[in-house]
Amino acid sequence: MKSYRLTHLQELEAEAIFVLREVAAQFEHSALLFSGGKDSVVMAHLAKKAFFPAEIPFSLIHIDTGHNFKETIEFRDNYIKKNNFKLIIGSVQQSIDEGDLTEEVGFDASRNALQSITLLDVIKKNSFDCVMGGARRDEEKSRAKERFFSHRDELGQWDPKSQRPELWNVFNGKKKAGEHFRVFPISNWTEMDVWQYILAENIEIPSIYFAHKRAVFLRDGVTMAASEFITRRDTEKVFEEEIRFRTIGDVTCTGAVVSSANSVEKIIEEVAATRTTERGNRADDKRSESAMEDRKKEGYF
């Protein structure tokens, strides 16, 4: 009898689809975080596969800082329209206008950390008991502490010391009133896995991931996009460079890499050769040793 063995990517896909179906089975009102970035696009693609031919049984959420890359927002809107998804947008600007958040000031000001409060407001307003995200354990050291099912208390806070065991992929989604879960179906994927899956499945992604000419400036050794949302110092001169972005976040904290990779195949070659982590150019992660973990404890993705 001929044996059939799954490839590495097929095993990861099957695991993610299993987790997505577990969410549908265990929770009453779930949602998927969708930024328009590669990981969230892969998540949406997996969700379509998991529930085909039915529609996906949850809404998509985008927390819009108001300081996003134009290409990302255009891709998001086209993608949602093309797939007929329901999108809920949480606006950081609205939270600021309503007095729930205070805008940071100064050269290093960013709205990235402010997303936590807006997200928690969206979760409470829509009574979501589960929100799925595309975070992966290889991204950052605090991400590595996450389980697939990550419990959050009634204030949306994360306690890494009270994570529940997940032996044999048995997931415990029990919670008290007011609590919710964050679920990460692609936790075990790496950046390379994501790009190889995008290539294998021919998944459309924002153009900003590919090499393009852009006005940039250097800040603390990081190439930043010249933007109206960033206040530059007198010494930070703008010049044009061929770059691409490995991650897509708020313009004010997302650094670029000098690159000529203009196709998925070339990006895979570049990722294979690099020794810098995917979030190595994220200014928000450099604010302190525990920057990401501190934000997660406050409700961040």
Side-chain angles (χ1 to χ4, degrees), residues 59-272:
S59 304
L60 273 59
I61 299 174
H62 181 217
I63 304 303
D64 186 353
T65 67
H67 291 173
N68 299 98
F69 289 98
K70 178 185 67 176
E71 296 95 329
T72 308
I73 298 301
E74 290 176 352
F75 177 87
R76 179 202 70 184
D77 293 343
N78 290 333
Y79 188 85
I80 295 299
K81 184 177 180 180
K82 182 185 300 183
N83 290 280
N84 197 30
F85 289 149
K86 178 183 177 183
L87 177 67
I88 297 171
I89 298 177
S91 170
V92 172
Q93 182 62 58
Q94 182 178 338
S95 297
I96 293 171
D97 293 341
E98 293 175 351
D100 296 330
L101 294 173
T102 302
E103 182 92 75
E104 292 185 0
V105 295
F107 292 111
D108 296 315
S110 174
R111 289 184 174 182
N112 197 57
L114 304 184
Q115 297 178 81
S116 301
I117 300 301
T118 304
L119 173 60
L120 292 174
D121 287 344
V122 170
I123 291 172
K124 182 177 181 180
K125 181 179 179 180
N126 292 276
S127 301
F128 289 125
D129 55 0
C130 173
V131 176
M132 292 169 282
R136 309 184 321 272
R137 294 191 181 114
D138 77 318
E139 288 182 275
E140 200 270 345
K141 57 188 178 183
S142 69
R143 297 284 202 204
K145 298 179 182 181
E146 289 278 19
R147 300 287 195 267
F148 280 104
F149 277 38
S150 180
H151 174 263
R152 303 298 168 105
D153 65 19
E154 64 277 5
L155 298 177
Q157 298 175 119
W158 174 65
D159 181 2
K161 295 180 181 179
S162 64
Q163 294 283 292
R164 298 173 180 179
E166 293 179 346
L167 304 176
W168 305 289
N169 278 1
V170 176
F171 304 118
N172 181 357
K174 292 183 179 180
K175 56 181 177 50
K176 298 177 182 178
E179 298 177 342
H180 72 278
F181 274 79
R182 306 285 173 86
V183 175
F184 306 102
I186 61 172
S187 287
N188 287 335
W189 297 44
T190 64
E191 181 186 12
M192 177 63 82
D193 294 329
V194 170
W195 281 113
Q196 289 180 333
Y197 189 74
I198 288 170
L199 177 63
E201 296 286 303
N202 193 29
I203 298 173
E204 182 183 5
I205 56 172
S207 61
I208 200 170
Y209 279 112
F210 301 107
H212 58 285
K213 292 276 189 178
R214 200 180 197 100
V216 298
F217 67 96
L218 289 177
R219 172 170 290 180
D220 299 327
V222 177
T223 304
M224 303 291 295
S227 168
E228 61 183 305
F229 304 129
I230 303 177
T231 302
R232 296 191 308 277
R233 298 175 175 87
D234 292 339
T235 55
E236 296 173 332
K237 305 301 181 182
V238 175
F239 59 97
E240 193 173 74
E241 184 69 89
E242 187 175 29
I243 56 96
R244 74 176 194 87
F245 292 90
R246 289 176 71 184
T247 65
I248 295 179
D250 190 88
V251 173
T252 58
C253 65
T254 305
V257 292
V258 176
S259 172
S260 60
N262 56 7
S263 68
V264 175
E265 291 88 348
K266 290 181 179 180
I267 288 175
I268 289 173
E269 291 178 8
E270 186 176 273
V271 171

